Amino acid sequence: GGLYLDYTQHTYYNAMDLLFFTLCVVYVGGYSDAGPYKDQLICTFVSLGLVIFSWLYAPFIFNPYQFSVRYVAADIKAWYGLFFTDGGKNWSEWYERVILKPKRGIAKSVFDFEFIFLFFAITAWISLVTVKQQVNVAIYSKDPVAEYIVVFTLMPPFILSSSYCILLPVLQRLVRCCSASNVHLPWRRSSE
């Protein structure tokens, strides 16, 4: 695939992900709500900024042919040919072959954008529910049931799903044992 495509797979996409999620953390108040740890986060954000900058701009800075007019013109011509020749057919074929290629195993389930987005959305939802529960407990602090409502609100997404995940394999094993032992029962008539 060439040096650019190899470098893109390893750094550009990861740098854009890191930039996106760093901006998400800053947007939701990860820095402003840090309290006494705000000074320590400055070093973390400086380190993240250096990594993001180096991953995004290192190939442009250290490429000796980057600012040659001849190569820039050839790159623009190739870019135009990829997107606009034959109605974008080349780009469409490349997109289907490289981006939409079928994935298998853990690469399909864990590293997809949908998984990361779903994880972020569930985390945001749980934190919002927790904040609302804390407000309700603060408002209705004299009610003895108010503290138990916090537990029962989080019960459906965690406790019930966890119990389902624990009980399902046990039930499957029991059903398999019963169905396998059904064949060898002495009182069962054989169809002769």
Side-chain angles (χ1 to χ4, degrees):
L3 183 61
Y4 173 77
L5 293 178
D6 293 339
Y7 190 81
T8 300
Q9 292 294 329
H10 296 286
T11 58
Y12 281 138
Y13 299 145
N14 293 335
M16 289 306 292
D17 288 344
L18 189 60
L19 177 65
F20 174 74
F21 290 119
T22 302
L23 291 176
C24 286
V25 166
V26 171
Y27 178 74
V28 298
Y31 180 74
S32 60
D33 295 340
Y37 302 106
K38 195 180 246 186
D39 295 334
Q40 295 174 358
L41 283 179
I42 292 173
C43 295
T44 303
F45 282 117
V46 167
S47 299
L48 284 172
L50 289 173
V51 169
I52 292 168
F53 180 81
S54 65
W55 281 357
L56 287 177
Y57 294 109
F60 299 109
I61 294 171
F62 296 110
N63 186 357
Y65 301 111
Q66 181 62 35
F67 301 109
S68 174
V69 175
R70 186 176 93 198
Y71 293 112
V72 171
D75 286 344
I76 290 173
K77 184 178 177 183
W79 174 82
Y80 183 82
L82 177 70
F83 285 107
F84 300 110
T85 303
D86 296 332
K89 179 181 160 192
N90 294 331
W91 176 83
S92 179
E93 290 173 357
W94 171 85
Y95 186 78
E96 289 175 3
R97 186 181 74 246
V98 175
I99 303 299
L100 296 180
K101 64 183 174 186
K103 298 177 183 175
R104 296 182 191 172
I106 196 165
K108 180 178 183 180
S109 62
V110 175
F111 299 109
D112 284 342
F113 177 75
E114 290 86 10
F115 175 79
I116 295 170
F117 179 76
L118 184 63
F119 177 76
F120 183 72
I122 289 173
T123 305
W125 176 75
I126 290 172
S127 65
L128 181 67
V129 168
T130 305
V131 168
K132 287 185 177 187
Q133 290 171 346
Q134 290 172 353
V135 168
N136 284 337
V137 168
I139 291 173
Y140 302 109
S141 62
K142 294 184 180 181
D143 189 6
V145 181
E147 293 179 8
Y148 296 109
I149 292 175
V150 173
V151 175
F152 290 121
T153 306
L154 292 177
M155 193 175 226
F158 290 112
I159 296 174
L160 293 178
S161 62
S162 298
S163 62
Y164 173 76
C165 291
I166 291 169
L167 290 177
L168 184 66
V170 172
L171 290 174
Q172 284 178 340
R173 187 169 295 232
L174 287 174
V175 168
R176 263 190 265 138
C177 288
C178 291
S179 64
S181 64
N182 251 355
V183 176
H184 303 293
L185 293 176
W187 58 84
R188 189 170 175 180
R189 292 183 182 176
S190 60
S191 56
E192 297 182 280

